[in-house]
Amino acid sequence: MRQRALRVAFLAVIGLCWLGTTAPLFTPAGTADAAAPDGKALFLAQKCNLCHSVSSVGITATSKSEKTAGPDLTTVAKPHDAAFMKDFLLKKVDLNGKKHLKEFKGTDEELTALIAWVQAQHKK
């Protein structure tokens, strides 16, 4: 019994430490401080920068592998509408005969904010 109590206490401490170091990406709707998700924060949190650069804001892809190298999103996102980009990131459609390597994991609200942010980075 004591060992179980120690295990539960340990997990609770780990959980609190984790919560203390991770800021939410947005405040849930319906609260007084509700705000839209931050597209740049989502881009980094989803680790899109492993494969993609966004040169207009100084983000450089961290992967050195040509296999996972994606295009600089400053130039490629604007020609596509948000509905296509959503389906592509959810691996529902192909682009040039290929599906996106990683399926987006997050809410519809987060995906919408991410796409809007990426499209806003287009160089004029």
Side-chain angles (χ1 to χ4, degrees):
M1 184 72 167
R2 182 175 178 207
Q3 191 175 21
R4 180 182 171 158
L6 287 172
R7 230 180 293 158
V8 169
F10 175 76
L11 292 174
V13 168
I14 295 298
L16 289 173
C17 289
W18 180 79
L19 287 173
T21 61
T22 306
L25 296 175
F26 68 98
T27 305
T31 61
D33 297 316
D38 178 359
K40 183 177 180 180
L42 287 163
F43 184 86
L44 297 171
Q46 290 283 328
K47 298 186 173 124
C48 303
N49 62 314
L50 289 176
C51 303
H52 295 284
S53 296
V54 184
S55 59
S56 62
V57 291
I59 297 174
T60 304
T62 58
S63 175
K64 303 300 179 204
S65 169
E66 286 185 31
K67 186 177 181 180
T68 60
D72 182 338
L73 298 181
T74 302
T75 58
V76 300
K78 193 67 172 176
H80 303 289
D81 69 6
F84 173 81
M85 289 181 65
K86 180 177 182 178
D87 286 344
F88 182 64
L89 292 172
L90 294 174
K91 299 184 90 163
K92 293 180 180 179
V93 298
D94 296 357
L95 178 62
N96 301 325
K98 295 181 181 179
K99 294 210 182 293
H100 193 261
L101 285 178
K102 182 180 174 189
E103 184 175 350
F104 179 82
K105 301 293 183 199
T107 66
D108 279 343
E109 184 182 23
E110 291 170 334
L111 183 54
T112 299
L114 174 65
I115 291 169
W117 179 79
V118 168
Q119 287 182 319
Q121 304 317 307
H122 178 68
K123 282 189 176 174
K124 295 175 173 126

